[in-house]
Amino acid sequence: MKGLDDMLRRAQEMQSKMLRIQEELGGLTVTGSAGGGMIRVTATGRQEITDVLIDKACVDPEDVELLQDLVRAAANDALRLARELAEKEMAAVTGGLKLPGRS
């Protein structure tokens, strides 16, 4: 019984640490970019986009498709960086153990 109690206690500690890290991730940010930095997208560690900066030099009314592609690329870059940040922070708690629902 002691082994089971110990395992349950460790699981609760890990869950508590994971919840704390998820909260902390909301305060951490990463910035993805495209077009040589002309488009920058900032996201939190929770993968929420918080800011989009577009350099005026890349705004061409005749080529809106290029601007859309650059914004999409920068957003995807920021979200990729946010996922990597979250995975790194969670790995510190789980010891690299892959948990269900996490890639």
Side-chain angles (χ1 to χ4, degrees), residues 51-73:
D51 198 18
V52 176
L53 297 171
I54 300 173
D55 188 306
K56 291 178 184 179
C58 69
V59 178
D60 179 358
E62 300 299 318
D63 196 1
V64 174
E65 291 81 15
L66 176 61
L67 180 58
Q68 292 168 337
D69 289 344
L70 290 172
V71 170
R72 183 175 34 256

Side-chain angles (χ1 to χ4, degrees), residues 31-41 70 73-75 77-78 81:
T31 300
S33 65
M38 294 182 76
I39 307 286
R40 293 186 311 274
V41 175
L70 290 172
D77 189 37
L81 292 169

